[in-house]
Amino acid sequence: MTNYRDILKSTDPDVFANLCGEEDRQRDGLELIPSENYTYPEVLALLGSVFTNKYSEGYPGRRYYGGQEFTDAVERLARERACKVFRAEHANVQPLSGSPMNQAVYLGVVDPGDTILAMDLSHGGHLTHGSPVSHMGKLFNFVRYKTTHNQGAIDMDEIRRLAKEHNPKLVLCGYTSYPRDIDYAPFKEVADEVGALTMADVSHVGGLIAGGALENPMDAGFDIMTTTTHKSLRGPRGGMILCKKKYAKKLDASVFPGLQGGPHMNAVAAIAVTLKLADTVEFRDYAQQVLQNATALANTLIAHGAHLVTGGTSNHMIVINTKTWLDMDGRQAEEMLDRVLLTTNKQITPDDPLPPLRPSGIRLGTPAVTTRGMKEEHMVEVGTIMAEALQSGGDETKLSALRSKVKQMTEQFPVPGLEPR
Ligand SMILES: *Cc1c(COP(=O)(O)O)cnc(C)c1O
């Protein structure tokens, strides 16, 4: 096989140096951002393959260009596997990422100006769920629900009240910063009462649903489910729309030609492999371990006095209110943890009084460290390092000792697909 690295190194030493830098960063630190993961070597191979050369506008058997024998085959495999893994009647694997995936759904099943009921951004909703700064927030009339004040539960009475008052065309659940599993059946009930469609955006937890560790909204009779493919699912960057057969035509047409042009067939091929790997005992064990690791990490942080939003976790994610816990904003906390090679992200908390770039908390999760092979006992270690770093007051001697501990752990657990140094 052609050695692409050697060619790149001689063509563009600047970009090559940055690639090596990023490899080192991923090798030497622990990735705790809950939306990130280390993908499979097979996915890296396909993303860098000649499938990227091919234009495949249209769908298998109905393309606008010739030469589709192999692209048709991989897209069919991806769709069939997606339907099997998520128990869905139809799958579209062409969305270029999570945001266009959600846009394609809205534009496909509701009209501009129509009402969509979705979670408030500061309570865990995604930008594409109608944030005023997103184009979607301007095109549709988003009505926002919130979690309950004390324990962050989803308030179904409030959702029912808002649904009856505003008559949404679409009821949306599934979040980007919500550390609990979701009971999908009541959403379906409320939507049925007002004649709305149901959509679950499971972008964060798609892998955990595929692995059978969390509830599947399709089992609760949801009409539409969307998920990114690069978060807990461990695949390439991309998005997928799963739906009942009766929405297949509308949603396919909405993705192409409605919103996008040629699909990224290198990513589609990589999604096919990802779904094959998701349908294994090993992946089901992985999904379970992600949850056990999150619980172990949350319990360790709580034992150190941390204030967790909703009081804990029942999925892969933990949101810490560092402002109320340590009088430290999320940016300061994120930077302090960077200094000990733990990567997290600053995060707004429900009804956050602070601005988004200096919010009250941080968000973390266990999909990536679990991919590296870490178990509960390692989460106890990580949680302890974290709490000590956050309470170090920036003392460089303390931080340097903690950094060495993280280094030792990263050497013990190599990143799949990256040669050890
Ligand atoms: C990550 C995410 C998205 C968007 O995915 P991108 O690939 O970043 O565009 C959409 N919805 C939710 C709930 C997400 O967590």
Side-chain angles (χ1 to χ4, degrees):
M1 201 173 119
T2 315
N3 190 339
Y4 299 106
R5 291 182 72 90
D6 286 347
I7 298 173
L8 172 64
K9 190 175 174 179
S10 73
T11 308
D12 193 336
D14 299 324
V15 168
F16 184 73
N18 284 297
L19 171 64
C20 296
E22 178 62 16
E23 287 173 345
D24 289 345
R25 190 192 69 80
Q26 294 195 16
R27 204 184 266 124
D28 295 343
L30 283 184
E31 189 53 70
L32 289 163
I33 295 174
S35 50
E36 294 192 14
N37 212 330
Y38 306 103
T39 195
Y40 301 101
E42 293 89 334
V43 166
L44 293 177
L46 280 166
L47 287 178
S49 75
V50 295
F51 274 122
T52 198
N53 297 340
K54 190 71 198 108
Y55 247 111
S56 303
E57 282 175 326
Y59 291 99
R62 293 179 288 124
R63 305 274 195 194
Y64 291 78
Y65 295 81
Q68 306 290 351
E69 191 181 345
F70 305 106
T71 44
D72 274 7
V74 289
E75 185 167 350
R76 284 200 175 101
L77 281 174
R79 294 203 300 197
E80 285 158 16
R81 289 171 182 171
C83 288
K84 175 161 186 265
V85 165
F86 291 107
R87 296 184 288 285
E89 292 173 8
H90 179 75
N92 185 310
V93 295
Q94 292 194 5
L96 303 177
S97 207
S99 298
M101 152 192 96
N102 286 345
Q103 290 164 15
V105 172
Y106 305 150
L107 294 162
V109 299
V110 293
D111 293 316
D114 279 351
T115 299
I116 302 175
L117 188 57
M119 177 93 98
D120 183 88
L121 192 69
S122 82
H123 287 243
H126 188 257
L127 277 171
T128 55
H129 297 181
S131 158
V133 301
S134 77
H135 292 315
M136 294 302 110
K138 291 168 192 141
L139 261 184
F140 300 99
N141 175 36
F142 280 89
V143 172
R144 298 183 190 84
Y145 56 90
K146 295 183 170 188
T147 53
T148 56
H149 276 293
N150 43 9
Q151 280 301 308
I154 289 180
D155 185 348
M156 281 322 299
D157 293 338
E158 175 68 358
I159 290 171
R160 179 172 279 107
R161 191 187 66 73
L162 289 170
K164 295 222 152 120
E165 184 183 334
H166 297 280
N167 266 309
K169 290 275 171 62
L170 182 67
V171 172
L172 172 56
C173 68
Y175 317 109
T176 203
S177 181
Y178 185 67
R180 296 292 178 179
D181 196 8
I182 300 165
D183 185 7
Y184 296 100
F187 280 98
K188 172 77 180 137
E189 253 171 53
V190 167
D192 284 348
E193 283 170 30
V194 299
L197 296 179
T198 37
M199 168 180 174
D201 174 1
V202 301
S203 285
H204 258 264
V205 292
L208 306 176
I209 291 169
L214 292 180
E215 214 193 314
N216 182 347
M218 298 318 270
D219 294 343
F222 265 54
D223 298 302
I224 300 160
M225 174 165 109
T226 59
T227 181
T228 61
T229 48
H230 48 279
K231 298 182 184 174
S232 54
L233 201 53
R234 263 195 91 181
R237 306 198 84 78
M240 258 192 295
I241 301 172
L242 301 130
C243 65
K244 290 185 178 163
K245 194 106 216 154
K246 60 180 163 184
Y247 306 111
K249 261 207 165 118
K250 265 190 178 169
L251 289 172
D252 281 354
S254 184
V255 173
F256 173 85
L259 188 69
Q260 297 184 173
H264 296 179
M265 292 313 294
N266 55 336
V268 169
I271 288 172
V273 182
T274 300
L275 290 166
K276 177 176 181 164
L277 293 167
D279 197 12
T280 57
V281 175
E282 289 76 13
F283 194 79
R284 283 187 273 283
D285 290 346
Y286 165 73
Q288 211 59 56
Q289 191 65 50
V290 168
L291 296 193
Q292 285 164 220
N293 282 354
T295 302
L297 184 53
N299 288 342
T300 307
L301 289 164
I302 290 168
H304 282 88
H307 294 185
L308 304 195
V309 171
T310 79
T313 179
S314 51
N315 59 18
H316 63 300
M317 187 189 295
I318 295 162
V319 185
I320 310 178
N321 191 323
T322 52
K323 189 70 194 172
T324 57
W325 176 29
L326 300 167
D327 195 25
M328 183 186 248
D329 68 47
R331 189 170 89 181
Q332 294 169 311
E334 178 193 296
E335 284 169 6
M336 192 68 84
L337 293 172
D338 271 339
R339 289 174 68 183
V340 294
L341 308 173
L342 298 177
T343 311
T344 60
N345 70 271
K346 56 182 155 304
Q347 175 65 41
I348 47 175
T349 56
D351 296 323
D352 204 325
L354 300 180
L357 287 174
R358 270 192 174 278
S360 294
I362 54 171
R363 186 182 71 144
L364 45 137
T366 50
V369 289
T370 307
T371 296
R372 280 178 99 140
M374 293 188 178
K375 299 266 170 19
E376 290 92 324
E377 67 260 34
H378 310 109
M379 293 303 102
V380 172
E381 236 177 297
V382 169
T384 305
I385 293 170
M386 222 169 178
E388 286 177 7
L390 289 173
Q391 292 171 302
S392 68
D395 179 318
E396 183 44 38
T397 320
K398 277 188 202 158
L399 291 174
S400 152
L402 295 170
R403 197 156 51 234
S404 311
K405 284 191 188 173
V406 174
K407 272 224 171 95
Q408 273 172 14
M409 294 182 83
T410 58
E411 280 160 18
Q412 200 187 337
F413 295 97
V415 173
L418 264 186
E419 308 286 316
R421 257 201 290 211

